[in-house]
Amino acid sequence: MKIRYQLAASAVALTICSLSSAAFAQSTGSIEVDDTEEAIVVTGTRADQGVKGVVVPDATKPRAVLTQELIATQASGQSILNTINQVPGVNFTNSDAYGSSGGNLRIRGFDGNRISLTFDGFPLNDTGNYAIFSNQQLDPELIYSVNVNLGTTDVDSPTASAAGGTVNYLTRTPSTDMGGVAVLTLGGENFQRAFGMFDTGELTKYGTRAFIAASRTKYDKFKGPGEIQKSQINAGIYQPIGDNGDFIYVKGHYNENRNNFYRNISLAEIRAITGRPLMADVGGFTDAQQKTIFNFDNLDTCNRTFAGTGAQNDNGGTGPTGTGANAAAIFGSTANNVLNTSSCSNFYGVRINPSNTGNIRLNSKFTITDNVTFTFDYGYQYVQANGGGSTAIAENSAIVRGASGLAGKDYNGDGDILDTIRFYTPNNTQTNRFTVLSSLIWDISDAHRVRVAYTFDRGRHRQTGEWGYLTGQGNPESPFGGLTGRNVLSADGVALRQRDRLSIALLNQVSAQYVGKFFDEALRVEAGLRMPFFERQLNNFCFTQTGGSGFATCTSQPVGNTPVANTGGAIFVVSPTAAGPYASNAVWAPFEANYKFSPVLPSFGFTYRVTDDAAVFGSYAKGFSSPRTDNLYRSPVVNVDPETTDTFDFGVRYTTGRVQALATAWMTNFKNRIVTSFDQINGISIDRNIGTVKGKGVDVGIAVRPLDWFTFQGNASYNDSTLRDDILVSSTVTLPTKGKRVVETPTWTLGYRASVEFGPVSAGLQVKYVSDRFATDLNDIKSEAYTTADFDARFDLEQFGAKNTWLQLNVTNIFDRFYLANLGTQIAGPNNNGLVTIPGLAAGASIPGGSAPNFSIGAPRTISGTLRIGF
């Protein structure tokens, strides 16, 4: 039987008419291979399969799908990664109520860096560290469906990092009829969002059709100074070819974010507020303590300008804007009338996250013969982004002097070089990425199918840290610092920067897949082999600090040339000889390196239909995640072992027009796991190896519609993921981490959504419970459990002649619960609090390598109202 694929969408509301696992795969090739028997035709009518936007596909692996019907109930502009929080095994913590400030995704305990996020099959993870940026995703009105593979990936996935599963969402297809939609939303925190979309309808007799859409979002942070701005433009043109489902679909996307960060509060600061110096269980706060913690944020002002000359002056000296009565009047009285140079490090104006991202995507399918099909997908992506930050530096420091032979440089024009000046110092990343996904599919017979696939993915990853100037009020002259604005030059004319490196991430992957049906198609078997040939080409143009930190030292100052060691041709030299911030450290000379990885990744799965509605399934898949660039830039030669996983799943599913249910037991063996945490002071991510992890658990999900007016969706997940090794942190201290739980991974997550519909009125309440999570590998710091609830209500205006038009109310965190959301994890707390016995370390003693975790605060109750107009 020839299997066909076709997508057609209405202008404003997409629901599923005839569903199979195909519509929810990743690339066009995977969609074509995964299809079962019937064509997929999305017409905008109610789903014959799926319950209120929840679908359990007939797949050999655990997979959950949410469609536009459910996506549209969420808050306007919400990140799609927050929407999948109702999928079992998924835990997403949003940075605010609206989704444009970022967040943290985990699936079965795997962090976002190990989850492949794809957009119409194209990878969105950062090519360097595999990070996911949840605030840069497609406008939700344009998403046809989103699917989550729990713990596994498709055989042609274009990734070197998907050890923990995949998330893929698909763009809607332009309607055959001319029309469109306009969305206007107002809400708490001065939230304002406008979205518009227009479908051209069929433009030619050949069925050519297109769409264009744009949105603009702006709102204030829910705590602390600053705001979030987001602008997005999307367009696509779809060309069907013949009448057998062949097509070419070209799409374009551009997104621009300008965000002020929320400042996370550290454990040390929480301990100070609560008066509990050895706090281990972070929670149980009084109302007064909650208020103090909630209001803890970045500074709203940064008085840095002397009124007389407009010169910048963060420190004293003898110049006209140095110490003395005038300086004291401007800066406030401090010891010696000198402003503390760290006073503006947490100014909200430099704690920003600007990003410009764009892509062009082509998906296509061509029928070669009656039983041979070729699919070809091509994409180009561009990214420019940074995480803000600032640095105060003395005008007479060694880095400023460089090789000039001068005593320093007078940056603030006060006639001396005795001041300490603060500059904007972001770590910029620019990425140009090209991706090709191709598949050749041969239907040997109605019951047997074979596919061979080739995947190419090349990312040019330029990471620089050009310093830029701040205005008198402490704001950057350019959000990208010296990359797009004025450079800060040393005394010898060299642009100051804190990193300077070029990386190429190159993936050439071949894969093969077999799909067979047996016993009157009751049994379907899939076997796959994925062989990625992955290469990282590294070029570090700066010196690198030793001692394991891997921080760059970019300087033109004289450097000692006495070799301490010589490894792989890179000289280990002494530090710059003159006094400066790196004088006590030796550094590696600039270097080039090349790393290659070529694992063989088999997979196998089956599904057996016990009855027309019930089936059992099972799968095995080997996963792989290559080391990230930050792991490899620590020294000229790094002995690295890629992370690998072996994942086993066994489950049952039951699917009808009123019930979609799935229960899965799983086990994962994870070797050589590396954990990353974000250092908000330095604006970089820090990695640490925690050895082997073993995980097992159960995921259960159900969506049932017992009555036409009532739907219930529930999910529950149990996760037992533990470390299998102790961690050596010094020559005398080994942390007893064996048997400890994986950080930021709740043992239990429970959720449900109950919705009702009476004529034009519908409403839903969705609840998520997250059990306690540890913030350290040692499990000596724990964040308490929390429960949140969101409410939505809609009044449909179709009965008044306004088709596809409604008013919608959304309330997030409706019960206004205080909770800790994202965790900035560490290997251990800063000192031995006695919760865990550490051999050789007394209670209260400092832990080598330990540091205070930090915590973000969940958004309070937030209300928004939306008017959606279809035409």
Side-chain angles (χ1 to χ4, degrees), residues 176-353:
T176 56
D177 299 319
M178 182 181 294
V181 64
V183 177
L184 300 173
T185 305
L186 298 176
E189 317 306 340
N190 196 28
F191 180 82
Q192 304 169 59
R193 180 175 184 264
F195 169 86
M197 178 181 67
F198 176 71
D199 280 311
T200 64
E202 293 189 344
L203 297 171
T204 70
K205 65 180 182 180
Y206 303 106
T208 308
R209 52 194 188 268
F211 84 91
I212 187 169
S215 69
R216 170 69 174 170
T217 302
K218 182 178 180 181
Y219 58 98
D220 298 329
K221 290 168 55 182
F222 69 82
K223 74 183 190 75
E227 65 180 11
I228 288 86
Q229 298 183 42
K230 180 178 180 179
S231 301
Q232 189 172 123
I233 299 174
N234 291 277
I237 182 167
Y238 179 83
Q239 177 63 63
I241 302 173
D243 58 359
N244 58 1
D246 291 354
F247 68 93
I248 298 175
Y249 191 6
V250 180
K251 292 150 282 188
H253 167 85
Y254 178 76
N255 185 88
E256 186 172 290
N257 282 74
R258 295 293 183 268
N259 296 356
N260 291 105
F261 276 122
Y262 293 93
R263 181 171 180 245
N264 294 347
I265 188 168
S266 73
L267 175 66
E269 291 159 339
I270 292 178
R271 285 174 169 176
I273 291 171
T274 59
R276 296 154 59 188
L278 294 179
M279 171 189 283
D281 293 328
V282 183
F285 306 115
T286 66
D287 290 345
Q289 290 170 349
Q290 288 183 10
K291 184 177 181 180
T292 302
I293 293 171
F294 183 86
N295 290 324
F296 197 93
D297 206 83
N298 293 310
L299 301 173
D300 58 355
T301 59
C302 182
N303 295 322
R304 309 177 56 262
T305 303
F306 178 68
T309 65
Q312 301 179 65
N313 185 12
D314 281 289
N315 203 347
T318 58
T321 57
T323 58
N326 287 335
I330 296 297
F331 299 130
S333 297
T334 59
N336 300 321
N337 288 328
V338 175
L339 179 71
N340 183 344
T341 58
S342 66
S343 64
C344 290
S345 63
N346 286 314
F347 173 54
Y348 82 98
V350 296
R351 295 300 174 188
I352 60 177
N353 179 211

Side-chain angles (χ1 to χ4, degrees), residues 95 117 130 193 343 427 524 533 558 568 673 758 774 807 810 859:
S95 294
L117 176 63
Y130 309 132
R193 180 175 184 264
S343 64
N427 284 303
R524 188 169 82 252
F533 297 88
R673 178 163 182 165
F758 297 102
F774 284 102
L807 294 168
N810 287 91

Side-chain angles (χ1 to χ4, degrees), residues 625-648:
S625 183
S626 73
R628 306 160 196 172
T629 51
D630 290 337
N631 303 141
L632 301 174
Y633 273 118
R634 296 187 181 279
S635 66
V637 177
V638 178
N639 295 318
V640 292
D641 291 314
E643 300 173 333
T644 61
T645 59
D646 293 280
T647 300
F648 303 84

Side-chain angles (χ1 to χ4, degrees), residues 566-629:
N566 192 321
T567 304
I571 297 177
F572 187 42
V573 299
V574 299
S575 168
T577 54
Y582 308 109
S584 61
N585 297 322
V587 292
W588 290 102
F591 62 85
E592 298 179 2
N594 188 276
Y595 296 88
K596 296 181 179 181
F597 308 93
S598 53
V600 176
L601 307 174
S603 61
F604 173 82
F606 75 92
T607 178
Y608 181 75
R609 191 174 65 248
V610 180
T611 69
D612 288 343
D613 303 325
V616 296
F617 67 92
S619 65
Y620 161 77
K622 191 170 190 65
F624 155 78
S625 183
S626 73
R628 306 160 196 172
T629 51

Side-chain angles (χ1 to χ4, degrees), residues 682-731:
N682 293 297
I684 60 175
S685 295
I686 305 299
D687 298 321
R688 59 187 189 278
N689 192 301
I690 59 174
T692 300
V693 175
K694 288 191 175 182
K696 58 182 180 294
V698 177
D699 299 319
V700 179
I702 186 171
V704 57
R705 193 174 190 181
L707 303 168
D708 288 344
W709 56 269
F710 176 71
T711 304
F712 177 84
Q713 302 156 4
N715 65 84
S717 293
Y718 170 75
N719 187 312
D720 179 22
S721 295
T722 56
L723 310 185
R724 310 308 297 170
D725 300 287
D726 294 333
I727 300 177
L728 179 68
V729 292
S730 74
S731 59

Side-chain angles (χ1 to χ4, degrees), residues 383 396 711 759:
V383 175
N396 58 5
T711 304

